[in-house]
Amino acid sequence: EAKKKYGLEGKFVAGYVGRHNEIKGYDILKEAAQKVLKQDERICFLIGGLQGNVFQPLNHERWIEAGWVNPADLFMAFDVFVLPNRMTYFDLVLLEAMSMGVPVIASRTGGNKTVQEHTDTLILYSNTADALAEEIIRFSQKTPEERDAASRKIQLEYEQNYTTMKFAQRYHKLLHQIYADYHYI
């Protein structure tokens, strides 16, 4: 249904949700997409978020700018979520993608590296448009069963490690450790 809404039935959809700026890697995504779109007619890009004044959208029929919409609506249409940020501590949109079981291709930076070290569920690329394009194409060539397995694995990791309850438990434990370290307990 989600793919139908955007006219993407039968296509492999690489998605992005976020600000359209340099820090978030929107320019890297555009450059990678140009390479991917030339190589594989099955692949489309569905983009969510506000279009700023700095970057114009890619002018291609398989690059769809949905604008500012409910990200959950877009995630349901994605076969893979692309997180090309240049710099991040911990990007909450990563958790949104994981919570919906959407496999993630992310830049090898900040919190993305930490999540990958902990869960081994992300596909990290070496922060260039060429490397990102290669990973998108590589993932699109996986069988439906392999993609489904990646989806189940990332959603399970979210449920085991990144729900609000899991975060609260870790914060609670950390606070108790701080109190214990400074003899307040």
Side-chain angles (χ1 to χ4, degrees):
E1 283 296 311
K3 285 186 177 187
K4 185 177 181 180
K5 178 179 179 179
Y6 293 100
L8 301 172
E9 304 97 321
K11 299 287 188 182
F12 178 89
V13 179
Y16 170 84
V17 174
R19 291 176 297 208
H20 294 34
N21 64 31
E22 198 170 323
I23 297 279
K24 292 294 184 178
Y26 181 79
D27 55 325
I28 294 170
L29 175 64
K30 281 179 52 178
E31 187 179 340
Q34 287 176 330
K35 296 169 188 306
V36 170
L37 293 168
K38 286 179 187 175
Q39 291 183 41
D40 194 329
E41 292 183 8
R42 300 173 307 114
I43 301 175
C44 293
F45 289 82
L46 181 56
I47 312 300
L50 288 178
Q51 182 69 46
N53 296 326
V54 177
F55 295 106
Q56 294 303 310
L58 191 60
N59 185 16
H60 195 285
E61 67 273 3
R62 288 183 284 127
W63 176 275
I64 297 119
E65 288 277 350
W68 189 254
V69 297
N70 179 354
D73 292 340
L74 294 180
F75 282 119
M76 290 188 293
F78 295 166
D79 292 296
V80 68
F81 176 67
V82 180
L83 186 58
N85 40 13
R86 282 189 168 84
M87 184 183 336
T88 183
Y89 297 103
F90 197 91
D91 204 323
L92 294 178
V93 74
L94 173 60
L95 294 180
E96 288 183 72
M98 291 176 71
S99 75
M100 297 192 72
V102 180
V104 177
I105 299 173
S107 57
R108 190 178 304 278
T109 186
N112 301 343
K113 292 188 302 188
T114 303
V115 170
Q116 176 61 6
E117 288 168 7
H118 186 257
T119 68
D120 191 34
T121 57
L122 307 182
I123 301 164
L124 297 184
Y125 71 94
S126 63
N127 301 349
T128 67
D130 287 338
L132 176 55
E134 288 173 18
E135 290 300 342
I136 292 169
I137 290 169
R138 185 176 295 125
F139 190 80
S140 76
Q141 293 170 342
K142 290 183 179 284
T143 67
E145 294 79 20
E146 290 171 322
R147 292 196 309 255
D148 286 346
S151 178
R152 286 190 304 275
K153 183 178 179 183
I154 202 162
Q155 189 165 28
L156 180 62
E157 288 297 335
Y158 170 80
E159 291 167 3
Q160 290 177 346
N161 298 297
Y162 295 103
T163 63
T164 53
M165 182 59 75
K166 295 296 182 182
F167 272 109
Q169 289 169 345
R170 282 194 297 275
Y171 284 135
H172 187 256
K173 183 178 175 182
L174 178 63
L175 287 173
H176 276 282
Q177 186 60 50
I178 290 169
Y179 280 118
D181 288 349
Y182 290 95
H183 308 291
Y184 290 121
I185 294 181

